[in-house]
């Protein structure tokens, strides 16, 4: 294949298709891990894995540093691809430190801390992949990202459960009268080895597929280390407000779930996560369809083309509306049957939560998409309000409705938090667009 043909771009529709399909496959596979764990080991083990996922969500945002939104809208090449890649090394280290601080703050037991920190390793690999996906997206080749997500999603799931089953069988053999193994040690060892195996597989894909694909776009000029350090520092300072706000936004959505585990234990956390897990498909369908629109929206905004810019936002709003209606109708018809099929009859008393959680997922998708719009219009410092008020709403909700109403309280706390954030972002975007 010639160098020219290798660098051909895809249409917006093709990029949307590859990005959406790849992302859905990846996250459906991640969701299936939780589903199968419930079936194999019960809500307790699923709750521990869900705790690890929740506890690492905000630190993972530190690793991403919200550079991706800035990266794909950097159409003038203010920073090079190498500088974006180098910055990810530093932010990934920060993310691990942030995760350790979360573990210490909540005072998790050793077994929980081990699982949380091991899952943080998996999130670091995701952070590495993300910066390569940004290069793909900027060059309108989301097919590379879509293929990578598909391979990592399916492969990680297979590797996770291969390790899970093998370690389980070995541990059962070792459980003799002379060498008993505690339940806690058994669960921790099995999850730890499975997560590490999954992380290593994902790392291999990133190194041997993603990194090789982006080489054709990355300049091969000699690196001036002093200039590189200066540029990376400038990039991180520029994106720092975005990173802070993204961290606060994510933490505001994590706090109610962490308090749920603190107040009511792993099993309740596992039940809530199991009910909520299928809704990730709805959330991702919306956010991944929006991602390929960021570069063209950035061009329209930078060119001052208000009509086309608003037209793009209106189309996305209509898409969100259609997804919402379809999701609610589908949930009404299939939620009970689907959840019982996936998790067994033990989940039946909690099926009523599914539609409220669907609404939460739609609000999360809207919130994330509006955050990207705020970034591309460079309304960065104004976004501190979004994160600050989000944290405030989440803490108040957690200490009141979550503590009082358990899983129902989590839904109410999340809805209140998201509505506050969406309202602030709408005002920011409206004021900025008005000046176009």
């Amino acid at each position: 294949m010639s160098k020219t043909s290798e660098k051909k771009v895809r249409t917006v529709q093709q990029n949307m298709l590859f990005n959406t399909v790849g992302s859905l496959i990846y996250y459906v596979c991640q969701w299936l891990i939780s589903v199968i764990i419930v079936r194999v080991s019960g809500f307790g083990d699923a709750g521990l894995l869900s705790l690890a996922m929740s506890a690492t969500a905000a630190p993972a945002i530190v690793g991403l540093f919200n550079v991706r939104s800035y990266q794909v809208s950097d159409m003038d090449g203010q920073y090079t691809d190498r500088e974006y890649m180098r910055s990810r090394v530093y932010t990934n280290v920060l993310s691990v430190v942030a995760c350790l601080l979360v573990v210490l703050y909540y005072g998790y037991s050793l077994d929980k801390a081990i699982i949380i920190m091991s899952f943080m390793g998996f999130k670091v690999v995701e952070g590495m992949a993300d910066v390569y996906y940004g290069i793909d997206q900027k060059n309108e080749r989301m097919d590379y990202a879509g293929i990578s997500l598909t391979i990592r999603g399916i492969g990680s799931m297979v590797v996770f459960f291969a390790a899970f089953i093998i370690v389980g069988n070995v541990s059962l053999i070792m459980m003799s009268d002379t060498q008993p193994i505690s339940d806690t040690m058994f669960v921790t060892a099995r999850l730890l080895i499975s997560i590490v195996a999954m992380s290593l597989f994902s790392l291999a894909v990133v190194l041997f597929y993603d990194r090789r694909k982006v080489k054709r776009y990355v300049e091969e000029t000699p690196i001036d280390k002093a200039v590189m350090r200066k540029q990376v520092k400038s990039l991180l300072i520029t994106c720092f407000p975005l990173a802070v706000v993204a961290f606060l936004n994510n933490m505001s959505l994590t706090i109610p779930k962490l308090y749920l585990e603190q107040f009511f234990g792993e099993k309740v956390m596992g039940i809530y996560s199991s009910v909520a897990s299928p809704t990730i498909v709805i959330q991702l369908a919306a956010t991944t369809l929006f991602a390929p629109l960021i570069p063209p929206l950035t061009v329209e905004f930078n060119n001052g083309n208000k009509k086309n810019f608003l037209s793009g936002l209106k189309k996305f709003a209509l898409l969100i509306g259609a997804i919402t209606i379809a999701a609610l109708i589908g949930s009404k018809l299939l939620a009970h049957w689907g959840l019982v099929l996936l998790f067994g009859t033990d989940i039946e008393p909690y099926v009523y939560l599914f539609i409220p959680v669907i609404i939460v997922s739609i609000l999360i998708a809207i919130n994330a998409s509006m955050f990207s719009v705020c970034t591309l219009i460079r309304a960065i410092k104004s976004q501190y309000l979004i994160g600050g008020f989000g944290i405030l709403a989440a803490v108040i909700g957690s200490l009141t409705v979550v503590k009082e109403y358990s899983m129902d309280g989590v839904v109410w706390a999340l809805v209140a938090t998201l509505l506050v954030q969406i309202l602030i972002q709408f005002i920011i975007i409206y004021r900025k667009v008005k000046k176009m």
Side-chain angles (χ1 to χ4, degrees), residues 277-289:
S277 59
T279 65
I280 191 69
V281 176
I282 309 300
Q283 180 183 328
L284 285 168
T287 53
T288 54
L289 283 170

Side-chain angles (χ1 to χ4, degrees), residues 323-337:
I323 291 173
T324 302
I325 293 170
L328 291 176
I329 293 173
S331 300
K332 185 68 176 176
L333 297 174
L334 302 173
H336 183 278
W337 171 81

Side-chain angles (χ1 to χ4, degrees), residues 4 33 50 57 104 129 157 176 186 195 214 233 318 367 394 413 425:
T4 303
I33 291 175
S50 177
L104 294 174
M157 180 181 67
S176 63
F186 173 67
I195 291 169
V214 301
K233 181 180 178 181
L318 291 172
N367 187 41
Q425 288 180 110

Side-chain angles (χ1 to χ4, degrees), residues 76-210:
D76 298 325
Q78 183 180 358
Y79 302 102
T80 67
D81 291 327
R82 286 188 178 186
E83 288 158 0
Y84 283 110
M85 291 160 63
R86 179 63 61 86
S87 71
R88 188 52 48 90
V89 176
Y90 301 127
T91 58
N92 269 341
V93 172
L94 283 176
S95 71
V96 174
V97 174
C99 187
L100 183 59
L101 292 176
V102 169
V103 168
L104 294 174
Y105 175 80
Y106 282 97
Y108 291 120
S109 59
L110 181 60
D111 60 308
K112 291 180 180 178
I114 289 172
I115 297 303
I116 290 169
M117 294 307 298
S118 66
F119 198 80
M120 189 64 230
F122 179 71
K123 302 302 285 187
V124 165
V125 177
E126 284 191 340
M128 293 173 60
D130 179 77
V131 75
Y132 293 136
Y133 295 164
I135 297 172
D136 295 336
Q137 184 175 350
K138 192 174 179 181
N139 288 279
E140 299 183 57
R141 290 306 305 262
M142 291 301 287
D143 51 324
Y144 296 149
I147 292 169
S148 171
L149 285 163
T150 301
I151 296 171
R152 288 201 302 120
I154 297 173
S156 295
M157 180 181 67
V158 171
V159 169
F160 181 95
F161 279 108
F164 196 77
I165 292 168
I166 291 170
V167 174
N169 290 336
V170 171
S171 299
L172 287 173
I173 294 172
M174 293 174 63
M175 285 183 180
S176 63
D177 292 335
T178 55
Q179 287 183 308
I181 299 176
S182 69
D183 289 342
T184 300
M185 185 185 299
F186 173 67
V187 171
T188 303
R190 189 160 63 166
L191 278 178
L192 173 63
I193 294 172
S194 300
I195 291 169
V196 170
M198 175 176 70
S199 302
L200 290 175
F201 174 84
S202 187
L203 178 62
V205 177
V206 172
L207 293 179
F208 297 110
Y209 179 80
D210 293 302

Side-chain angles (χ1 to χ4, degrees), residues 236-400:
L236 295 179
I237 290 173
T238 300
C239 290
F240 181 73
L242 293 172
V244 171
V245 175
F247 175 81
L248 293 175
N249 277 356
N250 192 280
M251 200 67 201
S252 66
L253 301 180
T254 302
I255 285 172
K257 290 180 279 187
L258 294 180
Y259 271 106
L260 178 68
E261 190 273 338
Q262 291 275 305
F263 291 142
F264 299 98
E266 295 168 29
K267 185 174 181 180
V268 172
M269 176 77 158
I271 293 169
Y272 177 83
S273 299
S274 297
V275 174
S277 59
T279 65
I280 191 69
V281 176
I282 309 300
Q283 180 183 328
L284 285 168
T287 53
T288 54
L289 283 170
F290 183 75
L293 296 176
I294 295 175
L297 281 174
T298 302
V299 172
E300 299 297 350
F301 181 81
N302 290 341
N303 291 338
N305 196 331
K306 184 176 180 179
K307 182 179 179 181
N308 287 351
F309 182 78
L310 288 176
S311 176
L313 293 182
K314 287 176 183 177
K315 288 177 182 177
F316 179 69
L318 291 172
L319 182 62
I320 284 285
I323 291 173
T324 302
I325 293 170
L328 291 176
I329 293 173
S331 300
K332 185 68 176 176
L333 297 174
L334 302 173
H336 183 278
W337 171 81
L339 288 173
V340 171
L341 177 67
L342 289 170
F343 302 109
T345 55
D346 288 345
I347 204 74
E348 201 164 8
Y350 311 100
V351 170
Y352 73 93
L353 282 168
F354 191 75
I355 290 181
V357 173
I358 283 283
I359 294 171
V360 169
S361 293
I362 294 294
L363 291 176
I364 290 173
I366 295 171
N367 187 41
S369 300
M370 292 182 74
F371 185 85
S372 295
V373 175
C374 286
T375 301
L376 72 86
I377 65 177
R378 297 298 185 257
I380 295 173
K381 291 184 179 179
S382 301
Q383 291 177 302
Y384 282 121
L385 290 171
I386 305 165
F389 278 102
I391 287 287
L392 182 62
V395 171
I396 292 173
S398 297
L399 296 176
T400 53

